[in-house]
Amino acid sequence: MEYRNLGASGLRVPVLSFGAGTFGGSGPLFSHWGTTDVEEARRLVDICLEAGVNLFDTADVYSAGASEEVLGEAIKGRRNEVLISTKASLPVGDGPADWGSSRSRLIASVEASLKRLGTDHIDIFQLHAFDASTPVEEVVSTLDRLVQDGKLRYIGVSNFAGWQIMKSLAAAEKHGQTRYVANQVYYSLVGRDYEWDLMPLGADQGLGALVWSPLGWGRLTGKISRSKPIPAGSRLHETADFGPPVDDELLYKVVDALEEVAAETGKTVPQVAINWLVGRPTVSSVIIGARNEEQLRQNLGAVGWSLTKEQVEKLDAASAVTAPYPYFPYRRQEGFARLNPPIAG
């Protein structure tokens, strides 16, 4: 397993990490992701650790905290072997203190997560969404205090716009407080919006990407193509509206290219899709999910080999879309391109 620094930090993370959203699944979304119990979770953790995957990602909102509880039980007795990443800010109830990133909410959320996880610290803590109702100075100062208290080791964000990240980083810089080093983002061959703004920001400001849904919300599994509609048992029938939208023609173009590369490499479609992400600029770790041992072992096979330059170019071309304004001039007009050359990689 390859390890990389998380952004501009000294924390080394595996290029593949495990998403525990399938643990303890309940509710209209998470029950379709998976319903892994503690015994099954221990087995999946065993397999991950054997492969060198020691970073496990969860959130307080996943199955109303059950994901954190199951993960905590699954790693019991081996806390020093693993890194835990969790998130807070999204609503976990209907009360006024059940959502957001206020000082009281963050302190309570961290304490609750620590209890559910059965640990005294969280290695990577991320805000799950931007809270426009709380001043960024209050947010970053609270996170800084939690870091100073030893309850959080590193901090980051997820699902933030570029200006929201920069405003937060500026506040932390001004007051000499802990800066974000992680940005948990949606990024896939059928969803490359991360590249327009957030990738250059990450490269400039030292934020490592932790990629969620690398298979395009379950669309790049190899089970869907021009000739194969969504299978009857696919979770997409129930969960598609919860995730990022994907144009059908783009999906089919990408899958066509993935199938060609998979045939050339002897790998599976999802393995190729994940391997492409591992090679992208600013990516520190790609979060893989699995409902069972077979899926996990297949996803682990996405690393340990490399795509050729020609194969990467084929996937790049198939997944390319026109950038939105103001980004498209920098890609299509020579004068603009000279001012902002693309990130290497």
Side-chain angles (χ1 to χ4, degrees):
M1 183 60 57
E2 178 189 351
Y3 297 86
R4 299 174 178 175
N5 282 49
L6 178 60
S9 80
L11 181 65
R12 284 176 288 279
V13 297
V15 292
L16 295 183
S17 46
F18 184 85
T22 56
F23 288 5
S26 63
L29 173 60
F30 300 109
S31 63
H32 292 286
W33 282 11
T35 55
T36 304
D37 61 20
V38 172
E39 183 178 354
E40 294 171 315
R42 286 198 186 101
R43 178 57 182 155
L44 295 179
V45 169
D46 287 342
I47 295 169
C48 284
L49 292 178
E50 289 169 4
V53 173
N54 65 340
L55 173 58
F56 298 86
D57 181 75
T58 183
D60 62 355
V61 75
Y62 292 170
S63 299
S67 173
E68 289 182 325
E69 291 175 349
V70 173
L71 177 60
E73 288 294 322
I75 63 171
K76 188 171 289 186
R78 44 188 173 177
R79 176 64 180 94
N80 61 351
E81 300 177 41
V82 306
L83 298 172
I84 295 175
S85 162
T86 193
K87 303 175 287 292
S89 289
L90 290 176
V92 294
D94 297 326
D98 291 335
W99 59 274
S101 303
S102 67
R103 178 172 291 110
S104 59
R105 162 79 167 127
L106 285 179
I107 292 172
S109 295
V110 168
E111 294 294 347
S113 289
L114 290 172
K115 183 177 180 180
R116 286 190 292 265
L117 290 162
T119 184
D120 62 355
H121 71 279
I122 294 164
D123 298 288
I124 308 170
F125 181 80
Q126 297 127 106
L127 304 177
H128 215 156
F130 183 71
D131 176 8
S133 66
T134 301
V136 294
E137 291 81 6
E138 178 178 336
V139 177
V140 297
S141 66
T142 303
L143 292 173
D144 182 69
R145 173 47 58 190
L146 289 165
V147 171
Q148 302 308 318
D149 289 344
K151 295 179 180 180
L152 309 179
R153 297 289 168 83
Y154 296 90
I155 58 174
V157 298
S158 182
N159 307 313
F160 274 44
W163 72 266
Q164 295 165 344
I165 295 175
M166 284 306 305
K167 186 173 183 177
S168 303
L169 290 174
E173 189 80 20
K174 179 179 179 180
H175 299 289
Q177 295 165 338
T178 308
R179 288 170 52 93
Y180 299 140
V181 296
N183 187 11
Q184 190 165 144
V185 297
Y186 169 60
Y187 188 24
S188 77
L189 274 165
V190 290
R192 295 176 61 181
D193 292 350
Y194 169 68
E195 297 174 4
W196 310 143
D197 186 36
L198 295 174
M199 179 184 282
L201 186 155
D204 181 69
Q205 294 295 314
L207 274 71
L210 301 173
V211 177
W212 61 265
S213 204
L215 299 181
W217 205 252
R219 292 176 175 88
L220 302 180
T221 60
K223 298 177 182 178
I224 303 171
S225 68
R226 292 182 189 275
S227 59
K228 295 184 292 186
I230 299 175
S234 172
R235 59 187 172 125
L236 277 170
H237 292 292
E238 303 294 335
T239 65
D241 290 343
F242 289 98
V246 177
D247 176 76
D248 284 346
E249 183 55 31
L250 173 64
L251 173 62
Y252 298 147
K253 284 177 59 180
V254 169
V255 171
D256 287 345
L258 281 169
E259 289 179 337
E260 289 180 21
V261 175
E264 294 169 2
T265 58
K267 305 296 182 179
T268 66
V269 164
Q271 286 171 341
V272 173
I274 294 170
N275 189 278
W276 178 85
L277 281 168
V278 168
R280 304 305 289 174
T282 73
V283 171
S284 293
S285 187
V286 177
I287 303 169
I288 58 173
R291 286 180 284 182
N292 53 53
E293 181 176 337
E294 179 184 358
Q295 287 182 347
L296 176 56
R297 291 192 183 280
Q298 182 182 118
N299 287 338
L300 290 172
V303 296
W305 55 279
S306 299
L307 295 166
T308 66
K309 180 175 180 289
E310 292 73 22
Q311 290 166 341
V312 170
E313 290 174 348
K314 181 183 294 186
L315 294 172
D316 287 350
S319 59
V321 299
T322 300
Y325 177 82
Y327 307 108
F328 73 81
Y330 293 91
R331 298 190 174 222
R332 296 170 60 179
Q333 299 179 31
E334 183 179 355
F336 283 85
R338 286 180 181 175
L339 292 168
N340 287 267
I343 295 173

